[in-house]
Amino acid sequence: MAKAQPDKNYYQGRMMKQQELANLLNSLSTQIESRLSQFNLKSKYTHEDIKSDVFLLVQRLIASGRLELHLDVDGELLLVRIKGDLREPIINPRAWLRTVAFNYVRGVHRKHKRFLDITSDKWERLLSTEQSNAVSSRHPHPMQYIENLELREKIKQLPDEDSEILELFYFKKLSYAEISSHLECKGYPRYTEGNIRQKKFRALKKLRQLYL
């Protein structure tokens, strides 16, 4: 027998719940903005960034079966936390979302602070670790506090030559000689391996500055 497909009302109800979730997050904009100011993050993030990330975080909780969204008879959003066989209603969904958003901002701040605390000579080892993906989850290190995609985006913000060298060395795993040849083919001067090594070190310093 063919599996019954969700009807139109199901999709409408789902959209209404997601819209109510977005409305609650929008009502927190000013408070999230203040939190970003408190942690000196307004130059790097906006309240829209945080709200989007928290919205996606909630979607992951729903997808994993740890959270449910419902609407009461008045159209108010209800959140239910799932812990095994226990279903625990969240009494104040807005306050809960505010706590999640504030904790998220605090986590972002810790992530950036950890990077500021990394001395320049450690960057190469950290990037090499990321490149090889050889670190066990049982042995955390500072690189785990940043998403790989964010790191790649930061590298793209560097000058073209610096970005190219880091990308080729750490992610495409080319040697200094191969990087030199690659750059020469793209119209850059012919660099020695020593030149590439020095340029890579300077590029790492610039990369760290992006987190200041």
Side-chain angles (χ1 to χ4, degrees), residues 118-137:
I118 298 172
T119 56
S120 298
D121 63 333
K122 292 182 181 178
W123 270 95
E124 183 167 352
R125 294 199 300 275
L126 292 175
L127 280 169
S128 295
T129 304
E130 181 72 4
Q131 171 202 15
S132 63
N133 196 26
V135 175
S136 164
S137 60

Side-chain angles (χ1 to χ4, degrees), residues 2 20 40 43 54 72 95 106 113 126 135 143 171 185 208:
E20 283 302 309
N40 297 317
S43 63
V54 171
D72 66 13
R106 186 181 296 109
K113 188 175 185 302
L126 292 175
V135 175
M143 208 60 179
F171 297 103
C185 290
R208 183 174 181 271

Side-chain angles (χ1 to χ4, degrees), residues 8-23:
K8 184 177 180 181
N9 289 335
Y10 168 83
Y11 289 113
Q12 288 179 337
R14 184 177 177 181
M15 289 178 62
M16 289 173 63
K17 287 184 281 189
Q18 299 293 350
Q19 184 58 54
E20 283 302 309
L21 173 62
N23 290 342

Side-chain angles (χ1 to χ4, degrees), residues 85-181:
D85 295 330
L86 179 65
R87 299 168 61 84
E88 177 187 352
I90 295 174
I91 303 302
N92 189 332
R94 186 176 184 274
W96 181 82
L97 287 170
R98 182 178 63 233
T99 299
V100 172
F102 283 7
N103 287 340
Y104 186 84
V105 171
R106 186 181 296 109
V108 169
H109 174 260
R110 282 199 300 263
K111 177 185 69 177
H112 283 278
K113 188 175 185 302
R114 286 176 185 273
F115 268 80
L116 293 180
D117 290 341
I118 298 172
T119 56
S120 298
D121 63 333
K122 292 182 181 178
W123 270 95
E124 183 167 352
R125 294 199 300 275
L126 292 175
L127 280 169
S128 295
T129 304
E130 181 72 4
Q131 171 202 15
S132 63
N133 196 26
V135 175
S136 164
S137 60
R138 293 172 297 175
H139 301 286
H141 64 91
M143 208 60 179
Q144 291 176 312
Y145 289 91
I146 188 168
E147 296 290 340
N148 186 51
L149 285 177
E150 183 181 346
L151 177 63
R152 299 291 283 270
E153 287 302 312
K154 289 292 186 183
I155 288 175
K156 289 178 183 178
Q157 295 176 29
L158 296 172
D160 289 345
E161 186 179 79
D162 297 329
S163 175
E164 189 85 15
I165 288 173
L166 294 184
E167 182 76 21
L168 293 173
F169 186 83
Y170 290 109
F171 297 103
K172 296 188 177 178
K173 303 180 182 180
L174 299 190
S175 66
Y176 292 131
E178 290 170 329
I179 293 173
S180 178
S181 298

